[in-house]
Amino acid sequence: MTFPEADIFLKSGDCAGQTMLDTMEAPGHSRQLLLQLNNQRTKGFLCDVIIVVQNALFRAHKNVLAASSAYLKSLVVHDNLLNLDHDMVSPAVFRLVLDFIYTGRLADGAEAAAASVAPGAEPSLGAVLAAASYLQIPDLVALCKKRLKRHGKYCHLRGGGGGGGGYAPYGRPGRGLRAATPVIQACYSSPAGPPPPPAAEPPSGPEAAVNTHCAELYASGPGPAAALCAPERRCSPLCGLDLSKKSPPGSAPPERPPGERELPPRPDSPPSAGPAAYKEPPLALPPLFQKLEEAVPPPDPFRGGGGSPGPEPPGRPDGPSLLYRWMKHEPGLGSYGDELGRERGSPGERCEERGGDPAASPGGPPLGLGPPPRYPGSLDGPGAGGDGDDYKSSSEETGSSEDPSPPGGHLEGYPCPHLAYGEPESFGDNLYVCIPCGKGFPSSEQLNAHVEAHVEEEEALYGRAEAAEVAAGAAGLGPPFGGGGDKVAGAPGSLGELLRPYRCASCDKSYKDPATLRQHEKTHWLTRPYPCTICGKKFTQRGTMTRHMRSHLGLKPFACDACGMRFTRQYRLTEHMRIHSGEKPYECQVCGGKFAQQRNLISHMKMHAVGGAAGAASALAGLGGLPGVPGPDGKGKLDFPEGVFAVARLTAEQLSLKQQDKAAAAELLAQTTHFLHDPKVALESLYPLAKFTAELGLSPDKAAEVLSQGAHLAAGPDGRTIDRFSPT
DNA sequence: CTGGGGACGGGGCCC
DNA sequence: TGGGCCCCGTCCCCA
């Protein structure tokens, strides 16, 4: 094989100083170099790019890829993680391609070998040729054509299946090809492929330990690789992982046409058949993965051992399943969604999704003691069988999930939103019912419009601020006065309850939907369910963990067009772009200073608050206290009550958070009310002030004090309004 | 040396 | 599940 750019180098000798170069050229140098590179690749040494092909991951060197393929070159420039269109190249084919890139050889028995590498993919020379064309590797294209021509017509030889559907067809490690491809995950590449031979038993012992890099990399023990994979798809824990979020221009693989998807799972797939079984010798792990291997992931209660041929110790999940759960499926690889869907489809998951947390399994930890050791109905359960064939359609799922008593039951002490709100009375066709007034509507839109009317009504009655607070949920702020019986958001039948009916049993925060509530409830767990498999740090949300993983992998998919700087999050990029645009939307209400980033404004406001309550109060006093009056430095225009409140809030928050002086914080808030001369302004400000006072954890007395001190200022014509804000 | 601002990374949390 | 926002902390630069 010749590399295009290497050619340039080698041929340069023809141009000038050829004699010199000829005499200096070490024979076999390029071959030695390739051998070294390939050796490094097999060990993951200095590999700086991961190529995702359907459900397999390959590690490689950017330079080598770039030197071999114009297409790959365009990709590796931008990303460390490449997603290849598996319609164009299957994992098995890419393995051959990668081997070719690194060795210049196309395995002699490639056809036969590949045919059984991945049942279903059955790569032929034609497939390799297509992939080579797609990847723009002219040498491989030529080689394939040559070989096809020699054979006259390609006739793939189905391999013997070599033990467990493994990679046996590669047979003897011919010329370094055998162990050449350091695929991180090996699994059957296509659900459409024939299932592994019936006799295929999950490998155990040494075989299992070496059968996949995946297992080597992520399994903490010699567990069957099948356990790592979703049924049928034999999915990898990393398969389809898309941490890149975004492909560079021109690098995005062609997306599937809408509606197109991979073939459905084979119903006859043996539940626990065929582990992903590349029979490659164990390879040295790169440091990162050695670390992965060493790290024993903490128990993941959400682990589903799909396809696991045998029971696994509860609470001792393998790494792969952890990874599997945090992987993201790229839209372009749409079929991966099936896996997620299947995962969701597990009864246990459905239970969990519905708020019936599996933690409630008998003997499970009570509230606050963390999630359960495992799904009661997880994929490795008897019924699930592991092949996912019990995956229900959404409707079926809905139907099954209506079961108010999922296997896991509900956490004691946890409200079950499903039970509480999921079974309304019969309202005929008007299934969308307004709780406060009992009116039924045929559509959610109409109900929403109706609710809007309620909001406006509340606005008219109680003032915009309060209504807005209620409408916005004022989530989790709980009772403003700590009374416990005056919960704005949750009073039975109140608008607050209507809008945010799902309340946390631990902290009284309320949410619009049960999923958010469940998400929130995890923040109360002592055990965080999503551990980072690299550093072990645990997270309450999977998304946070995946984001965290991106930082480990150095994946920064969001690039600034102006300066090229890259970010891990879109929001960061948006924030960053303000530097280029000069936009500074965040203005200090005290001094008028403007900031491009809100966090810097906050930091700045804390600077204003230095000195504690007294300092802030004096600062407030020095502002004149009148709306629209320029600040002391004349720079900014004070916007009351927002300005006052902002400073007071920040100061109080600072005090409270530092636990320095909650009383001082309350005092400051109380003082703030003196600036609210306008009854209307006071009206709009008192409640949030008092609420915030309570939010800070201050005593109800202090909150009441805030109100009382401001109430006389806000003695507007609507006495009822003041009553509304008074503690009861 | 110190304080303040600019910029950024990371985590928590809600939608 | 991802996006968005908030917050904390840190680093760097500059006056």
Side-chain angles (χ1 to χ4, degrees):
Chain A
M1 169 189 185
T2 57
F3 295 99
E5 293 173 13
D7 281 345
I8 295 173
F9 171 76
L10 293 175
K11 290 172 182 173
S12 65
D14 299 336
C15 302
Q18 58 195 39
T19 305
M20 192 76 167
L21 288 176
D22 286 346
T23 56
M24 290 181 66
E25 181 175 350
H29 172 75
S30 56
R31 174 168 171 74
Q32 278 301 315
L33 189 62
L34 264 185
L35 283 174
Q36 285 298 318
L37 286 171
N38 195 40
N39 190 36
Q40 291 179 7
R41 176 176 69 108
T42 62
K43 294 175 179 173
F45 184 65
L46 293 179
C47 287
D48 51 4
V49 63
I50 294 174
I51 306 102
V52 181
V53 186
Q54 195 172 18
N55 49 12
L57 300 186
F58 302 85
R59 281 173 290 150
H61 302 95
K62 285 185 173 184
N63 276 340
V64 175
L65 298 185
S68 311
S69 156
Y71 177 69
L72 292 176
K73 181 181 179 182
S74 71
L75 300 185
V76 298
V77 166
H78 300 284
D79 271 334
N80 303 324
L81 183 72
L82 312 181
N83 275 304
L84 296 185
D85 182 4
H86 65 274
D87 285 339
M88 301 302 298
V89 51
S90 71
V93 167
F94 187 73
R95 164 185 282 264
L96 297 176
V97 170
L98 201 53
D99 286 343
F100 173 81
I101 287 175
Y102 273 86
T103 65
R105 299 191 183 99
L106 187 59
D108 289 340
E111 306 96 309
S116 50
V117 165
E122 301 191 20
S124 62
L125 265 181
V128 176
L129 173 59
S133 300
Y134 166 68
L135 297 171
Q136 299 176 36
I137 307 174
D139 288 337
L140 183 55
V141 170
L143 187 59
C144 289
K145 286 181 178 175
K146 182 180 171 186
R147 190 170 293 184
L148 280 172
K149 200 172 294 181
R150 192 176 65 198
H151 289 253
K153 177 185 176 185
Y154 173 68
C155 176
H156 82 260
L157 306 173
R158 182 176 294 274
Y167 218 44
Y170 254 7
R172 50 196 167 78
R175 293 184 291 185
L177 282 172
R178 168 76 164 64
T181 306
V183 62
I184 293 177
Q185 158 60 20
C187 55
Y188 295 113
S189 59
S190 169
E201 287 296 324
S204 58
E207 181 179 327
V210 302
N211 64 356
T212 71
H213 293 260
C214 171
E216 293 160 24
L217 296 177
Y218 300 114
S220 55
L228 319 179
C229 304
E232 292 109 16
R233 303 192 53 76
R234 308 292 183 257
C235 159
S236 95
L238 279 172
C239 69
L241 168 65
D242 176 18
L243 295 172
S244 67
K245 302 292 178 195
K246 179 177 151 187
S247 297
S251 68
E255 294 197 0
R256 288 170 174 279
E260 180 182 341
R261 47 168 292 167
E262 291 195 1
L263 294 175
R266 292 174 62 94
D268 57 341
S269 297
S272 60
Y278 283 102
K279 289 191 174 177
E280 293 185 346
L283 300 173
L285 304 183
L288 169 70
F289 297 114
Q290 285 172 353
K291 193 173 179 181
L292 273 175
E293 190 181 44
E294 290 162 9
V296 177
D300 179 7
F302 301 99
R303 187 187 60 74
S308 173
E312 296 173 66
R316 181 73 163 64
D318 47 41
S321 66
L322 296 175
L323 284 172
Y324 169 65
R325 288 192 171 272
W326 62 258
M327 72 188 179
K328 176 198 176 242
H329 302 273
E330 188 188 39
L333 306 176
S335 62
Y336 292 134
D338 296 348
E339 289 168 8
L340 292 182
R342 188 177 301 115
E343 195 177 38
R344 281 205 191 92
S346 74
E349 180 92 6
R350 285 196 298 272
C351 167
E352 196 263 349
E353 290 285 335
R354 289 278 174 181
D357 203 288
S361 59
L367 176 65
L369 292 185
R374 66 186 295 148
Y375 276 132
S378 60
L379 288 174
D380 54 352
D387 66 357
D389 289 336
D390 60 337
Y391 171 57
K392 301 292 190 293
S393 68
S394 58
S395 58
E396 290 168 328
E397 181 177 334
T398 303
S400 65
S401 64
E402 288 303 317
D403 178 6
S405 303
H410 299 286
L411 260 184
E412 186 180 355
Y414 270 38
C416 175
H418 174 56
L419 287 176
Y421 302 99
E423 299 176 8
E425 304 169 35
S426 173
F427 290 90
D429 291 337
N430 298 328
L431 297 175
Y432 299 87
V433 179
C434 174
I435 294 175
C437 68
K439 284 183 183 176
F441 300 89
S443 71
S444 60
E445 289 78 12
Q446 287 173 278
L447 174 60
N448 287 339
H450 171 78
V451 169
E452 286 296 321
H454 272 304
V455 173
E456 291 171 7
E457 192 175 287
E458 291 237 348
E459 252 187 62
L461 280 175
Y462 307 124
R464 182 168 55 86
E466 198 270 349
E469 288 289 344
V470 173
L477 298 183
F481 313 115
D486 188 23
K487 299 170 181 176
V488 173
S494 71
L495 181 59
E497 183 183 82
L498 169 68
L499 296 175
R500 308 177 74 87
Y502 300 94
R503 177 175 297 164
C504 173
S506 301
C507 69
D508 271 353
K509 285 187 178 181
S510 55
Y511 300 89
K512 292 177 184 174
D513 61 276
T516 306
L517 173 61
R518 280 196 307 278
Q519 200 173 46
H520 162 80
E521 283 171 339
K522 289 176 184 174
T523 66
H524 294 302
W525 289 0
L526 298 182
T527 302
R528 294 168 177 246
Y530 303 104
C532 169
T533 48
I534 293 178
C535 69
K537 185 173 174 63
K538 300 170 187 174
F539 300 87
T540 57
Q541 293 188 16
R542 192 195 310 269
T544 305
M545 194 265 290
T546 58
R547 193 177 62 189
H548 166 83
M549 291 295 288
R550 258 185 264 156
S551 68
H552 276 308
L553 298 174
L555 298 173
K556 298 183 176 181
F558 306 102
C560 171
D561 291 334
C563 69
M565 189 162 180
R566 305 182 71 89
F567 301 88
T568 55
R569 313 179 200 179
Q570 172 69 55
Y571 180 66
R572 296 292 193 229
L573 175 58
T574 303
E575 200 176 52
H576 166 83
M577 291 308 288
R578 295 197 195 109
I579 296 170
H580 296 299
S581 68
E583 182 190 6
K584 293 187 175 180
Y586 303 101
E587 181 174 357
C588 172
Q589 298 294 337
V590 177
C591 70
K594 294 184 177 180
F595 302 87
Q597 295 184 5
Q598 188 178 32
R599 39 188 164 162
N600 286 335
L601 170 61
I602 292 171
S603 172
H604 167 84
M605 294 302 285
K606 287 174 182 172
M607 182 269 296
H608 278 304
V610 166
S618 64
L620 286 173
L623 298 181
L626 290 175
V629 174
D633 54 4
K635 284 170 74 176
K637 193 181 76 170
L638 298 177
D639 186 13
F640 282 81
E642 291 83 359
V644 170
F645 181 58
V647 174
R649 179 188 170 108
L650 282 166
T651 306
E653 189 175 35
Q654 181 88 345
L655 288 169
S656 178
L657 287 179
K658 290 187 174 178
Q659 299 296 313
Q660 290 174 343
D661 192 348
K662 287 180 182 266
E667 181 67 22
L668 172 62
L669 290 175
Q671 287 186 25
T672 303
T673 61
H674 287 294
F675 295 99
L676 309 178
H677 297 286
D678 183 344
K680 182 174 181 297
V681 170
L683 186 65
E684 292 180 353
S685 305
L686 284 177
Y687 177 68
L689 279 172
K691 189 176 64 180
F692 180 65
T693 305
E695 184 184 353
L696 290 176
L698 307 178
S699 70
D701 289 345
K702 280 294 176 187
E705 187 183 341
V706 171
L707 287 179
S708 63
Q709 291 201 25
H712 72 280
L713 298 172
D718 189 356
R720 184 174 55 85
T721 301
I722 299 299
D723 291 341
R724 169 76 173 180
F725 293 135
S726 300
T728 56

